[in-house]
Amino acid sequence: GATKMMSEVAIGDRVQVYSAETGSTEFSDVIAVPHASNDVLATFVEINTASGSVKMTPDHLVAAGSCSAANTMLPLVRSEDVKVGDCVNTVEGQSMVSSINTVDEKGIYTIVTRGEFLVVGNIVASPFAVNHNILHFFYNLHRALPTGSPLVAAFHAVADQITKIAVLPVIRSVFAVSA
């Protein structure tokens, strides 16, 4: 596969996702891009490990916590709550956070796929900020719609309004995209 910047991903692209049920990665279709291309200036938390790095808004959710020999899915926490020495789930298993930086940059993006979790910079993250379960449930309705259904356009109109009100998540990084 190739890599793309989050700002370049479009509906229909196939990107790498993580299954908490199987503990493995696969490629999944992008079904929604809640944020249009933009130059919004925001503060990002950059999480670095030996396996990869990711930049996300402080409220964005990432699988992180105390390192575990079981190598299972770690709980979702806000990126601003991750500390050096914590572990994050990566495509290779759990990896210890070696450094954390705060940076101000332009561009707020996220994508939603048929899978539940994204792989961004080799790190497992939710596509959402603040509350994964509510937004995941909302997008499960979208996932159930057949591709090309007229209901998809109606769903996007509702999702656009929710995005304006609830300001969905933000990830700004590079991640794997299938060729």
Side-chain angles (χ1 to χ4, degrees):
T3 59
K4 273 188 180 181
M5 294 297 294
M6 184 67 75
S7 59
E8 299 169 347
V9 175
I11 292 173
D13 285 351
R14 292 181 54 79
V15 299
Q16 193 173 31
V17 297
Y18 177 83
S19 168
E21 294 170 8
T22 66
S24 63
T25 62
E26 59 189 34
F27 285 87
S28 180
D29 294 335
V30 174
I31 61 168
V33 180
H35 297 287
S37 184
N38 65 80
D39 279 342
V40 174
L41 182 63
T43 298
F44 295 91
V45 175
E46 180 180 37
I47 300 171
N48 300 293
T49 74
S51 298
S53 67
V54 63
K55 292 178 192 172
M56 53 183 53
T57 57
D59 283 338
H60 198 93
L61 301 171
V62 61
S66 297
C67 300
S68 163
N71 213 21
T72 58
M73 179 75 171
L74 294 165
L76 292 175
V77 299
R78 295 178 315 170
S79 66
E80 69 183 349
D81 295 332
V82 176
K83 307 286 184 251
V84 171
D86 285 348
C87 274
V88 294
N89 283 101
T90 71
V91 294
E92 289 107 21
Q94 294 179 7
S95 184
M96 188 175 290
V97 175
S98 56
S99 68
I100 297 175
N101 302 304
T102 303
V103 296
D104 291 329
E105 293 184 2
K106 290 183 178 182
I108 295 179
Y109 303 98
T110 193
I111 58 171
V112 179
T113 67
R114 294 209 177 274
E116 185 172 1
F117 299 102
L118 302 174
V119 174
V120 184
N122 286 334
I123 295 175
V124 176
S126 168
F128 310 117
V130 184
N131 190 313
H132 176 84
N133 293 332
I134 290 173
L135 293 168
H136 179 62
F137 174 79
F138 177 75
Y139 275 99
N140 271 341
L141 300 172
H142 185 281
R143 291 176 181 111
L145 297 173
T147 304
S149 166
L151 294 174
V152 172
F155 181 89
H156 282 290
V158 170
D160 287 345
Q161 292 306 311
I162 288 173
T163 299
K164 289 176 186 169
I165 295 167
V167 188
L168 288 176
V170 192
I171 295 180
R172 186 175 190 274
S173 194
V174 177
F175 62 96
V177 180
S178 81

